[in-house]
Amino acid sequence: AVTYLSHLLCRYPDTDDGAPVLSFCPLHLDMAEVGRSWAVAGPHRDLLAGPRDSAKSMWWLILTVWALAHGHRRGVLALARTREQVVVQLADAREAFTSALLLGDFPELAPRRGDGHRNTATYVTSSGATLAGRGLGESVLGLRALGGHRPDLIIWDDGEPEATVHTPRHKVELLRKLTSTILPMSLDAAVLMVGTPTMPGSLIHDGVRAAYGRAGLLPDRGEWVAAHGFTAHHWPA
C-alpha cells in the first residue's frame, strides 16, 4: 500500500498546513489481516462494520490490487447499492493500475486491449484477471469473469439504503439477494462485506451485534451471519 498506492492513503490534508497526511488506524490493519487470508485458496467470509469516512472502501481497493498483483485472486466482483457508487470506486482502482512503479513490477496488471476490456465498470488485465463492478439493482446472476471463471473475490461495500429510506422489507430483499444469488455464484470465493449501520437490525448492524455475541434486533435475529460462515468485525467511531 505504501509503495504502490500511497496516493490512496493521503486523501486528507493536515488542518494546519494543508499537506497530505499518510495515516493508518487499527481498522485498516484489521482489514489487511482479512485480506492476507485471501492468499489461501478457498472461501473466507468477513463482515466489517465501521464509521463513515474511515477509508473502508480505499482499503478493499488496496487489498484487491494486492490480491490481483500476486495472483491470489483472478475474478473480482465489487457490489454497491448503485452502479454510480461502484463506478466511482473502480475509478480509483483504474488509477492505481496506471502507476508506472506498479506496472514495472507487475506488468501483467496492464489493461488488455480490445472493446469492453477497460470501461467504467470493468477492468481486464493482460493476464486475464478481471475487476468488475455492479449495482445491487442490476442482474449479477451467472456473472463470469473472462475465460468463464466465476468471481473468486466478492466485495459488498455500502450495499444498504440510507437511514431515511431503509426498512425491514428492504433488509429482507437484500438478505435474499445475498444468500440466494450472490453467495451461490461461487462457494469458494472470498467475500468481504463492509459498511456502516443505517438501520437497527440492518445487515451491517447484524454484524455489529454478532461481533459481540449478540442476536440481531429484527425477527430473523441476524442468524444469517453465523449460518453463512461470516466472521464479524466492528470498529466503533
Side-chain angles (χ1 to χ4, degrees), residues 42-131:
H44 306 273
R45 295 180 178 179
D46 291 271
L47 187 158
L48 189 142
R52 294 286 185 204
D53 215 24
S54 56
K56 300 183 296 298
S57 297
M58 289 299 96
W59 270 93
W60 72 250
L61 282 171
I62 289 167
L63 296 173
T64 294
V65 173
W66 171 81
L68 292 175
H70 292 278
H72 300 315
R73 302 285 158 168
R74 288 184 53 80
V76 183
L77 173 62
L79 301 165
R81 179 65 183 164
T82 66
R83 182 182 180 88
E84 289 73 21
Q85 284 175 266
V86 79
V87 162
V88 171
Q89 292 160 346
L90 294 190
D92 286 313
R94 291 197 305 277
E95 180 183 356
F97 290 131
T98 65
S99 164
L101 184 61
L102 181 68
L103 295 180
D105 289 340
F106 301 97
E108 64 277 8
L109 293 180
R112 174 168 290 200
R113 304 302 177 186
D115 293 339
H117 289 154
R118 187 183 185 187
N119 57 43
T120 57
T122 304
Y123 186 95
V124 182
T125 71
S126 60
S127 65
T130 303
L131 173 59

Side-chain angles (χ1 to χ4, degrees), residues 157-217:
D157 183 11
D158 279 337
E160 298 183 277
E162 294 297 328
T164 55
V165 295
H166 205 352
T167 67
R169 181 177 62 82
H170 285 136
K171 190 261 183 85
V172 170
E173 293 172 354
L174 285 170
L175 183 57
R176 184 181 301 116
K177 176 164 280 192
L178 173 68
T179 58
S180 300
T181 301
I182 295 169
L183 295 181
M185 289 174 63
S186 178
L187 297 180
D188 289 328
V191 182
L192 173 63
M193 297 179 67
V194 298
T196 300
T198 60
M199 178 186 71
S202 66
L203 295 176
I204 299 300
H205 190 243
D206 284 343
V208 174
R209 302 278 294 183
Y212 298 102
R214 301 171 183 169
L217 298 181

